Amino acid sequence: MKYVDGFVAAVPVANKELYRKHAAEAAPLFREFGATRVVECWGDDVPDGKITDFRGAVKAEEGEVVVFSWIEYPSKEARDAANARIMSDPRMKEMGDQMPFDGKRMIFGGFAPILDV
């Protein structure tokens, strides 16, 4: 069964093209490490919630947009192996040093699909 890494982050509106470029440069590396699909989405209709919401989850500030991204792998084992490679790959470290957003406010996790129609 597939496995999915999900990410939500706040990106300054002014950094949209930098973020898109950053994601476009990282995607081939994730594919090289075993990902079967990489999807990056720029917030377009992200409402404020009454109790909680995406903006609150990443502590988005004025002038920031929430991005929602996911990376699909063939299995959790493939994802775990990819993450080990990601952490040791100098290309990924260099990209990490130049992120166009505050990585400390990014939330992420691994998910086992329970429905895929």
Side-chain angles (χ1 to χ4, degrees):
M1 171 170 261
K2 292 180 184 177
Y3 198 77
V4 176
D5 268 348
F7 307 87
V8 180
V11 179
V13 172
N15 288 357
K16 182 177 183 179
E17 183 54 28
L18 286 172
Y19 181 84
R20 191 207 59 76
K21 184 178 180 209
H22 177 83
E25 290 172 355
L29 297 179
F30 284 108
R31 297 291 302 252
E32 176 185 325
F33 299 149
T36 56
R37 185 176 182 207
V38 178
V39 179
E40 296 282 349
C41 304
W42 188 259
D44 179 59
D45 184 14
V46 184
D48 292 335
K50 292 184 181 183
I51 297 174
T52 190
D53 57 34
F54 280 109
R55 292 185 61 77
V58 294
K59 299 189 183 318
E61 300 171 357
E62 187 70 32
E64 291 183 325
V65 169
V66 175
V67 296
F68 176 65
S69 310
W70 69 91
I71 302 173
E72 293 179 7
Y73 293 94
S75 65
K76 184 176 189 302
E77 294 75 22
R79 179 273 212 147
D80 291 346
N83 279 348
R85 290 184 66 195
I86 288 164
M87 293 301 166
S88 64
D89 191 284
R91 298 169 295 175
M92 292 302 291
K93 181 180 181 338
E94 183 178 324
M95 282 185 197
D97 292 341
Q98 301 171 16
M99 290 193 306
F101 63 94
D102 181 359
K104 293 176 186 163
R105 292 185 285 137
M106 179 175 72
I107 59 174
F108 55 90
F111 300 85
I114 59 172
L115 179 68
D116 185 354
V117 294

